[in-house]
């Protein structure tokens, strides 16, 4: 018996702004393609949650509702309610002409506005690519924090099988992040999600991971250690686990490379040879170009941070605290991690890690303020999980799920981090372990070989409380309001990197 799509059609029409907002409607193999008078009236969040709708897209002047195999049946049900005039080819041609004419209007934006729009678009792509996995990352972060607590209280040891198994549960989402984000970023940037997931797998393939994390060096270029070669070309292979920006850049490249390949490869051969060349070309571009560029930038940043830290601890706390989480967004913070690890291994402590710890607390304090202030159930739920995750040392859910998405909250969190970093420097807080944020408080007990005592622990809590109060208060006062949620949706609809092929 055929399924009745009358209710779905009615809901779609209502949430695209009603019949009065529709110019015309066509469909392709999987999508309803609306030409709307005002796309901002369409309610993406409602439509994509309708039973029978896969997702929505804004592209090519169309409002696209992805249905799948039943698209023709849903199309018939929508036209039955709109009227046949909305399916009239003349009406569609007029709508297309109007859309194309609008697209050809001169761009009168200033250079500053273009840069701002470009940056907003980039942030939109990053947060949009991360949103599907934010809940998973928050859960994984909490699990990792609980495991760390279990080790501290001697409930388990790092060599036990229990620890290994639970650690795998907590770490897998982060280890395989390039695979997951490759899929979600491809959906956002109109590339092939499965191909991008495979490319993410290439980047973290065990043998390549061994090369990237090994000590073999065949030469140097611009300060980078060349550790392998591709077709005889010496390259610097990066460890891509836990990273997101290289695979997002890859998804952007893949969209255009796939269009180019389809122009040159006969259709009968495309099913095999488009994925073949796309995987090879995009993987190579990431390893040869994107990875080394990120390494150069992050290495330069690490040198600057180290110099500032040696010059003046309070100033370093203020600056590093205020800007560190910006590095996290683009994966540039991984150049800082070796500095911290080297300090702890060689000296037994790390002042730099003490500052980084405050940035984690600040991100958590900001989402905590949003959780308490917001009246939107979905925002409260996500903020609560993100706050817990940040307080156990995982800030990605806070950054990508809430703070960066709503802009001002990320700024107010960084203000709190700068204040906490400054106090950390003024009180000469030191850190004797790797795990930070609130759950990392044991890392601030001074070992006996360094004099013992609890003064450093007390100073840690003073700096933490300052961070919490400043980040929470700033976010509460001017970092977020519920109207930002709808505003963020409109920005996401307006600005998207990449186009539909």
């Amino acid at each position: 018996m055929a399924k009745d799509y009358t209710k779905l059609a009615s809901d779609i029409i209502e949430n695209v702004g009603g019949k009065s907002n529709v110019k015309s409607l066509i469909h392709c193999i999987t999508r309803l393609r609306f030409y709307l008078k005002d796309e901002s009236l369409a309610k993406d969040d409602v439509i994509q949650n309708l039973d029978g709708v896969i997702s929505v897209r804004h592209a090519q002047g169309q409002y696209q509702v992805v249905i799948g195999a039943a698209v023709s049946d849903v199309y018939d049900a929508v036209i039955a309610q709109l009227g046949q005039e909305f399916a009239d080819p003349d009406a569609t041609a007029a709508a297309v002409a109007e859309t194309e004419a609008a697209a050809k209007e001169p761009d009168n934006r200033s250079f500053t506005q273009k840069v701002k729009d470009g940056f907003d678009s980039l942030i939109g792509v990053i947060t949009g690519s991360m949103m599907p996995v934010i809940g998973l990352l928050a859960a994984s972060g909490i699990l990792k924090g609980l495991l760390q607590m279990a080790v501290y209280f001697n409930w388990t040891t790092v060599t036990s099988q229990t620890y290994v198994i639970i650690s795998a549960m907590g770490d897998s989402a982060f280890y395989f992040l390039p695979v997951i984000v490759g899929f979600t970023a491809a959906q956002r940037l109109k590339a092939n999600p499965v191909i991008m997931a495979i490319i993410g797998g290439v980047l973290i393939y065990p043998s390549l991971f061994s090369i990237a994390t090994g000590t073999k060096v065949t030469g140097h270029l611009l300060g980078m250690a060349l550790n392998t070669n591709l077709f005889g070309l010496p390259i610097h292979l990066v460890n891509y686990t836990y990273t997101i920006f290289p695979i997002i850049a890859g998804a952007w490249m893949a969209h255009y490379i796939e269009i180019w390949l389809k122009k040159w490869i006969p259709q009968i051969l495309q099913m095999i040879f488009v994925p073949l060349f796309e995987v090879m070309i995009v993987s190579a571009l990431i390893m040869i170009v994107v990875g080394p560029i990120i390494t150069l930038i992050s290495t330069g940043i690490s040198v600057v941070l180290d110099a500032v830290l040696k010059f003046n601890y309070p100033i370093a706390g203020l600056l590093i605290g205020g800007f560190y989480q910006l590095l996290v967004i683009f994966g540039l913070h991984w150049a800082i991690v070796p500095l911290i690890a080297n300090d702890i291994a060689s000296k037994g402590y790390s002042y730099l890690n003490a500052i980084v710890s405050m940035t984690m607390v600040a991100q958590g304090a900001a989402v905590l303020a949003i959780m308490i202030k917001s009246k939107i159930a979905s925002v409260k739920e996500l903020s609560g999980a993100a706050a817990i995750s940040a307080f156990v040392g995982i800030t990605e859910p806070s950054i990508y799920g809430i703070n960066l998405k709503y802009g001002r909250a990320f700024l107010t969190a960084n203000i709190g981090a700068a204040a906490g970093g400054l106090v950390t420097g003024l009180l000469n807080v030191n850190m004797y372990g790797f795990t930070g944020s609130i759950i990392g408080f044991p890392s601030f007990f001074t070992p006996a070989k360094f004099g013992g005592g609890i003064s450093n622990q007390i100073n840690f809590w003073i700096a933490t409380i300052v961070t919490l109060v400043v980040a929470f208060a700033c976010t509460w006062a001017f970092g977020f309001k519920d109207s930002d949620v709808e505003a963020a949706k409109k920005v996401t609809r307006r600005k998207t990197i990449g186009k539909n092929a």
Side-chain angles (χ1 to χ4, degrees), residues 358 423 427-429 454-464:
M358 295 305 150
V423 174
L427 297 179
N428 202 42
V429 178
I454 63 169
S455 61
N456 191 69
Q457 180 70 202
I458 293 172
N459 291 338
F460 155 74
W461 283 112
I462 293 173
T464 298

Side-chain angles (χ1 to χ4, degrees), residues 14 17 53 67 112 115 123-124 218 227 237-238 270 274 295 300 368 452 494:
E14 177 186 351
V53 174
I67 300 295
T112 302
V115 171
I123 295 302
T218 59
N227 50 12
L237 190 62
V238 178
Q270 287 182 4
V274 168
T295 298
L368 181 64
R494 258 193 340 262

Side-chain angles (χ1 to χ4, degrees), residues 203-241:
L203 299 181
I204 62 170
Y205 194 72
S207 56
L208 297 187
F209 173 82
S210 298
I211 294 172
T213 56
T215 58
K216 180 183 176 181
V217 176
T218 59
H220 288 84
L221 178 65
L222 298 176
M224 297 182 298
L226 303 175
N227 50 12
T228 188
N229 71 84
L230 183 64
F231 297 120
L233 176 68
I235 64 172
H236 172 73
L237 190 62
V238 178
N239 174 18
Y240 291 99
T241 59

Side-chain angles (χ1 to χ4, degrees), residues 51 75 148 266:
D51 185 19
Y75 171 82
Q148 183 65 31

Side-chain angles (χ1 to χ4, degrees), residues 462-484:
I462 293 173
T464 298
I465 291 170
V466 169
T467 305
L468 281 166
V469 170
V470 174
F472 186 99
C474 288
T475 304
W476 183 280
F478 52 85
F480 175 86
K481 53 183 183 293
D482 280 343
S483 60
D484 293 338

Side-chain angles (χ1 to χ4, degrees), residues 185-205:
Q187 290 180 314
R188 176 86 182 186
L189 294 169
K190 314 302 183 293
N192 186 309
V194 175
I195 290 177
M196 285 312 304
I198 294 298
I199 293 171
V202 171
L203 299 181
I204 62 170
Y205 194 72

Side-chain angles (χ1 to χ4, degrees), residues 134-135 138-139 142 367 371 380-390 394 397-398:
I134 289 300
I142 292 170
V367 288
M371 182 195 74
K380 294 178 75 71
E381 180 181 357
L382 180 55
S383 299
I388 296 173
S389 181
I394 305 296
S398 297

